[in-house]
Amino acid sequence: MARLYVDGIDEIERALRDMAGGVDGFVDEVLEAGGEIAKRNVEQSIMQHGHYRTGTLLRSIKTIKSTDKEGRKYVDVTAAGKRENGTRNGEVAFVLNYGRSNLYGTRYWQAAEEKTKKEYDKVLQEKTEAFLKEKGLE
């Protein structure tokens, strides 16, 4: 019968155990950073496209942390709440983005999403490298 001896497996096992313990915190940190980037970009896009007349839409942009049915965490950036006349801010944001028969949409939300994707990729890369370096798995 053949025997296999491996040196250093204990260190690898310990590093993996340590990493597994910190993954939840890492995920929360990355999601929070991504939510803040998206919120900032949506707010900037609202200002750039001139959708700030009363400021209601701008103040309604919120980040909501949640978990889906399978237990995966995510962050949602949305226009929350209602206006004084009862119109939902989400509906106003939708119409300003896509338009309707008597109003051209400015696609401000989509522009913010594209900018967010680029920025988030960089932040994710940096945070992942820092996390792996901290855990000694670089």
Side-chain angles (χ1 to χ4, degrees), residues 57 60-62 77-81 88-91 93 109:
L57 179 61
S60 74
I61 304 301
K62 306 286 185 224
V77 177
T78 186
R88 292 180 308 118
N89 286 316
E91 182 179 347
W109 199 282

Coordinates of all heavy atoms in Angstrom, one line a residue, residues 57 60-62 77-81 88-91 93 109:
L57 N -36.8 63.4 -5.4 CA -36.2 62.2 -5.9 C -34.8 62.0 -5.4 O -34.5 60.9 -5.0 CB -36.2 62.3 -7.5 CG -35.6 61.1 -8.2 CD1 -36.4 59.8 -7.8 CD2 -35.6 61.3 -9.7
S60 N -34.8 60.7 -2.0 CA -35.5 59.4 -1.8 C -34.6 58.2 -2.2 O -34.9 57.0 -1.9 CB -36.7 59.3 -2.7 OG -36.4 59.1 -4.1
I61 N -33.4 58.4 -2.7 CA -32.5 57.3 -3.1 C -31.9 56.7 -1.8 O -31.3 57.3 -1.0 CB -31.3 57.9 -4.0 CG1 -31.9 58.6 -5.2 CG2 -30.4 56.7 -4.3 CD1 -32.8 57.7 -6.1
K62 N -32.2 55.4 -1.6 CA -31.8 54.6 -0.5 C -31.1 53.3 -0.9 O -31.3 52.8 -1.9 CB -33.0 54.3 0.4 CG -33.9 55.4 0.8 CD -33.3 56.3 1.9 CE -34.2 57.4 2.3 NZ -33.7 58.6 2.4
V77 N -30.3 49.5 -4.5 CA -30.4 51.0 -4.5 C -31.7 51.3 -5.2 O -31.9 50.9 -6.4 CB -29.2 51.6 -5.2 CG1 -29.3 53.1 -5.3 CG2 -27.9 51.2 -4.5
T78 N -32.5 52.1 -4.6 CA -33.9 52.4 -5.1 C -34.3 53.7 -4.7 O -33.8 54.3 -3.8 CB -34.9 51.3 -4.6 OG1 -36.1 51.5 -5.2 CG2 -35.0 51.3 -3.1
A79 N -35.3 54.2 -5.4 CA -36.0 55.5 -5.0 C -37.2 55.0 -4.1 O -38.2 54.5 -4.6 CB -36.5 56.2 -6.3
A80 N -37.1 55.3 -2.8 CA -38.0 54.8 -1.9 C -39.1 55.8 -1.5 O -38.8 57.0 -1.6 CB -37.3 54.3 -0.6
G81 N -40.2 55.4 -1.0 CA -41.2 56.3 -0.5 C -42.1 56.9 -1.5 O -42.1 56.6 -2.7
R88 N -45.5 57.2 -6.2 CA -44.3 56.6 -5.7 C -43.1 57.1 -6.3 O -43.0 57.4 -7.6 CB -44.3 55.1 -5.9 CG -45.4 54.3 -5.1 CD -45.5 52.8 -5.4 NE -45.6 52.6 -6.8 CZ -44.7 51.9 -7.5 NH1 -43.6 51.4 -6.9 NH2 -44.8 51.7 -8.8
N89 N -42.0 57.3 -5.6 CA -40.7 57.9 -6.1 C -40.1 56.9 -7.1 O -39.5 57.3 -8.1 CB -39.7 58.2 -5.0 CG -40.1 59.4 -4.2 OD1 -40.5 60.4 -4.8 ND2 -40.1 59.3 -2.9
G90 N -40.3 55.6 -6.9 CA -39.9 54.6 -7.9 C -40.5 54.8 -9.3 O -39.9 54.6 -10.3
E91 N -41.8 55.1 -9.3 CA -42.5 55.4 -10.5 C -41.9 56.6 -11.2 O -41.7 56.6 -12.4 CB -44.0 55.5 -10.3 CG -44.8 55.7 -11.5 CD -46.3 55.8 -11.2 OE1 -46.7 55.5 -10.1 OE2 -47.0 56.3 -12.1
A93 N -38.9 57.9 -10.9 CA -37.6 57.5 -11.3 C -37.7 56.7 -12.6 O -36.9 57.0 -13.6 CB -36.8 56.7 -10.3
W109 N -30.5 56.7 -15.0 CA -30.2 55.5 -14.1 C -29.2 54.5 -14.7 O -28.3 54.0 -14.1 CB -31.5 54.8 -13.7 CG -31.4 54.0 -12.5 CD1 -30.9 52.7 -12.4 CD2 -31.8 54.4 -11.2 NE1 -31.0 52.3 -11.1 CE2 -31.5 53.3 -10.3 CE3 -32.5 55.5 -10.6 CZ2 -31.8 53.3 -9.0 CZ3 -32.7 55.5 -9.3 CH2 -32.4 54.4 -8.5

